[in-house]
Amino acid sequence: MQPVLETRAPDGFSLWPVAEGVSSRFTALSGNLTSAEVGTALMLIARCNDIDPDPGAGDDRPPRPADPLGSFLHGLLTFEDLFAAGGLRVVDGSTGVTLLPGCCNGLEDWRDVYSVLDGTGRAYLGHDPDPVVELSGDRVRLVVDFEQSDSPVIELSAVELRRLLDGVGRDLADFLALAADWARFHLPQHAEPVIDALVRVLPVPANGGTRTVS
């Protein structure tokens, strides 16, 4: 089980270094990313929130700043409810079945899957396909596409699901440590607000950062 972001091509992005030639549909977050991969992840998250303020819709955020970097980061730094397209990718090594986030699912909601362990219902992970996590007796079913009667399913114990989710939390905490160092190096004027935004959107406690990225 991995926390992933939906990948989009950089398309000439030049505000900071990013990985070129991205071919995978999803970018997994962990503490093992290169500097360029961290930059790509931050670009993807910022793009998800790069929306103009709309006073007519009750959006009272301040207007975009004029400089290109401040303008691109504006949504990330001013939205109260941030979005990060992606979610959880789960691969069953014994069968090859893979569950991927559906459309409009956000990594910011990854902790909702814990609610399944409390017996409070299903966790819906997007649509087209419609992945679902549900409790069935003492087992957990990860349904690749709930709308398909013959959908592939990954089955595991509740204990195993909790272990996997705890691993996701560790991956995100390690990524945050890496991203914090990256932001202080590449975005010194915006580093602390960017780090605060990442903590909110992912969401796990920041652990201060122990790695150096340049």
Side-chain angles (χ1 to χ4, degrees):
M1 181 178 285
Q2 296 174 303
V4 296
L5 295 172
E6 186 177 332
T7 305
R8 296 183 182 180
D11 293 331
F13 183 84
S14 61
L15 293 175
W16 58 72
V18 295
E20 297 295 333
V22 176
S23 58
S24 176
R25 180 183 166 193
F26 292 100
T27 297
L29 301 184
S30 73
N32 299 318
L33 302 186
T34 66
S35 176
E37 289 169 338
V38 173
T40 299
L42 183 56
M43 176 199 69
L44 294 172
I45 296 172
R47 272 187 174 176
C48 286
N49 300 280
D50 185 22
I51 301 171
D52 286 323
D54 185 1
D59 185 350
D60 60 358
R61 292 181 298 135
R64 287 179 183 267
D67 69 286
L69 177 58
S71 176
F72 182 68
L73 292 173
H74 186 64
L76 181 67
L77 303 185
T78 59
F79 268 123
E80 181 176 350
D81 297 319
L82 296 169
F83 176 65
L88 300 177
R89 176 171 61 194
V90 187
V91 179
D92 186 333
S94 63
T95 65
V97 172
T98 300
L99 179 143
L100 297 172
C103 178
C104 301
N105 193 68
L107 186 52
E108 72 279 1
D109 295 326
W110 74 271
R111 286 185 176 274
D112 289 354
V113 180
Y114 275 110
S115 67
V116 175
L117 299 173
D118 301 330
T120 54
R122 296 177 173 136
Y124 295 91
L125 308 180
H127 58 86
D128 296 327
D130 296 71
V132 170
V133 182
E134 60 184 9
L135 193 64
S136 178
D138 61 352
R139 304 287 290 175
V140 176
R141 301 175 75 248
L142 287 74
V143 184
V144 172
D145 190 346
F146 189 72
E147 292 299 314
Q148 302 297 321
S149 60
D150 59 348
S151 170
V153 176
I154 299 172
E155 290 198 18
L156 65 164
S157 68
V159 171
E160 179 69 1
L161 177 61
R162 186 176 297 278
R163 184 188 71 80
L164 291 172
L165 288 171
D166 290 347
V168 168
R170 289 190 295 272
D171 282 342
L172 289 175
D174 289 346
F175 169 75
L176 277 173
L178 203 62
D181 286 344
W182 183 97
R184 293 181 181 117
F185 184 89
H186 290 281
L187 303 173
Q189 302 301 316
H190 301 277
E192 298 313 313
V194 165
I195 294 166
D196 288 345
L198 291 176
V199 170
R200 288 193 295 117
V201 71
L202 288 179
V204 291
N207 60 10
T210 57
R211 300 172 177 80
T212 300
V213 183
S214 60

